[in-house]
Amino acid sequence: MTVAIVPSQEDTASQETADAAALVAEDARDFGAYARTGGWAFGLKVARSVRPGGQSAGETPKISAKEFAELAGCSADRVMRYYKAWDKAADDGMVPHFEALSPGMDVELPDADIWLSYYSARSSALSQRGEAISEAAEAEGIRPTKALEVAENPTALRAAILADPGTAEAARKALMDRLDEDPALRTELVRDIVRTDDLKKAVAAEAKAGDRVEYVRQIVEKGQVKTPAGQMIDASAELREEAERHLSLIDELDDGEESGEWAREAYDTVRDLVAQTVQSDPELRVQERRAKFYSSLQKATKVFEELTFDDVDDIDDIYEDDMVKRLEDLQQAIGACITALQTATVRPESDHDPRS
């Protein structure tokens, strides 16, 4: 008679402990494999189990990416990301091609860090746009997945820019770097500025400050300065020294510091010195007045040349008594200028020969 031996509670507990230890050991081995090889370990599972494109089910025991995904309980897109990463690595000679692998086969895998240069965890990386973002991320020395995640979440990016000055500054610098190669973005940015009064005023103020700094810089670099009437004269040693002192203060400002007040002070200082230089030199003073007169005369001439009735169908439609009065006043002023200039060209009677 056969007697059934019932396992004791101690034997059952011992077996359960052994089974648990085996499971723990398996987890540890899987973890170790992943720690050493990273995504390569899972890439290998896909590469040796998913059939390459062009092969039918009858040619290989491997299955399609869709079937593999169903068994894995994930999406086919995720499987294909591992598939394409392995394919790129195989083309580079890092791993064997799909045709050389069969289900269950083990091969030596590359280092874990190399995996990230072939694999992207986001499906957007497979598009042309995603590839461009990935390349830019690699050029900046960051993981492509980080850049792709930001690109896929513009609302999150906006929130970070609005809330964090550091993120806003990084975004500003990135936009400035992109302007040269993106004319459309440059045009839209300019339009946004001119449509916003505060920005338009800020741009005008910065442009004015820039012109003032450039005026001072030209004195230092070229040793010449433009007078109020537009003459170019050699800058004195005192003027160049003062201009250089102010310019060094401006150049030492941090990127975030406002330069407007410093530029105004530098500009006003050198302009005062230029005016003093002109007034202290009789010959230069005369040249300055002459240049100023010519400048005013050219402006007046240009304005008066545009003052015609060529585009007026009926002059009565625009006639006002005040127009005639103003033209008469202008005529008298011009006549006075002509008389003064003509008088200057006629020598006094004492200069003439009495016999003439």
Side-chain angles (χ1 to χ4, degrees):
M1 182 178 66
T2 302
V3 178
I5 301 177
V6 179
S8 65
Q9 291 183 347
E10 291 182 359
D11 291 338
T12 301
S14 178
Q15 184 61 43
E16 290 176 350
T17 300
D19 291 342
L23 293 174
V24 170
E26 184 178 353
D27 283 345
R29 285 192 296 272
D30 290 343
F31 180 83
Y34 184 78
R36 289 189 304 273
T37 62
W40 294 112
F42 297 107
L44 174 61
K45 295 180 185 297
V46 171
R48 69 191 183 188
S49 299
V50 174
R51 65 174 179 264
Q55 280 193 344
S56 63
E59 296 179 56
T60 174
K62 298 181 181 182
I63 60 178
S64 68
K66 182 179 179 181
E67 292 174 297
F68 189 90
E70 290 174 353
L71 292 174
C74 66
S75 68
D77 284 343
R78 180 181 294 273
V79 173
M80 286 306 299
R81 289 199 289 275
Y82 279 87
Y83 181 97
K84 291 185 177 183
W86 188 277
D87 190 30
K88 291 179 182 178
D91 288 341
D92 289 346
M94 301 295 298
V95 292
H97 284 281
F98 297 107
E99 292 78 5
L101 297 172
S102 58
M105 180 182 292
D106 282 324
V107 296
E108 186 175 351
L109 298 174
D111 187 74
D113 294 338
I114 304 176
W115 171 253
L116 294 177
S117 62
Y118 292 100
Y119 174 79
S120 174
R122 316 191 74 82
S123 58
S124 60
L126 304 179
S127 65
Q128 184 176 0
R129 172 175 175 265
E131 290 178 359
I133 294 173
S134 297
E135 290 176 2
E138 291 174 358
E140 294 290 335
I142 62 174
R143 291 174 58 182
T145 51
K146 292 291 185 182
L148 289 164
E149 183 177 359
V150 172
E152 290 177 7
N153 292 276
T155 303
L157 175 60
R158 170 183 167 83
I161 292 173
L162 291 174
D164 177 44
T167 304
E169 177 63 13
R172 181 190 69 80
K173 290 181 178 178
L175 283 173
M176 293 304 297
D177 290 342
R178 185 177 175 83
L179 288 182
D180 288 341
E181 61 185 42
D182 194 338
L185 175 63
R186 184 168 60 246
T187 300
E188 287 302 317
L189 188 59
V190 170
R191 287 174 179 170
D192 289 339
I193 291 173
V194 299
R195 291 169 184 166
T196 308
D197 289 340
D198 289 343
L199 287 178
K200 189 162 56 175
K201 291 177 182 178
V203 169
E206 284 297 319
K208 187 174 183 179
D211 290 341
R212 287 174 168 176
V213 172
E214 185 61 23
Y215 180 83
V216 177
R217 193 180 300 278
Q218 289 298 313
I219 298 174
V220 176
E221 295 180 353
K222 295 187 176 181
Q224 290 188 315
V225 62
K226 183 180 289 187
T227 67
Q231 293 189 93
M232 291 299 298
I233 62 174
D234 292 333
S236 64
E238 178 189 4
L239 179 56
R240 294 188 66 175
E241 183 179 343
E242 190 66 14
E244 188 170 0
R245 184 179 72 83
H246 280 279
L247 188 61
S248 64
L249 292 173
I250 294 173
D251 289 341
E252 289 174 4
L253 293 176
D254 294 334
D255 290 340
E257 291 188 75
E258 294 288 341
S259 62
E261 187 64 24
W262 294 86
R264 185 195 62 78
E265 182 179 349
Y267 181 78
D268 290 346
T269 300
V270 297
R271 288 281 286 187
D272 288 343
L273 289 174
V274 171
Q276 292 174 22
T277 300
V278 172
Q279 289 300 316
S280 64
D281 187 330
E283 183 179 353
L284 187 57
R285 185 167 65 248
V286 171
Q287 293 174 357
E288 183 73 358
R289 294 180 67 181
R290 183 184 296 115
K292 184 177 181 182
F293 181 85
Y294 268 115
S295 176
S296 299
L297 182 60
Q298 287 177 337
K299 292 177 182 177
T301 301
K302 183 177 181 181
V303 170
F304 195 78
E305 286 174 347
E306 296 174 353
L307 191 61
T308 66
F309 300 110
D310 294 342
D311 58 344
V312 178
D313 295 331
D314 190 347
I315 198 169
D316 291 338
D317 292 338
I318 66 168
Y319 172 80
E320 295 285 347
D321 291 339
D322 185 57
M323 293 180 182
V324 177
K325 178 66 171 63
R326 292 194 178 192
L327 284 172
E328 289 175 345
D329 292 343
L330 179 60
Q331 186 178 34
Q332 290 179 5
I334 293 174
C337 284
I338 293 174
T339 300
L341 290 171
Q342 289 176 337
T343 301
T345 62
V346 178
R347 292 180 295 176
E349 289 293 331
S350 58
D351 292 342
H352 287 273
D353 187 344
R355 294 171 297 179
S356 61

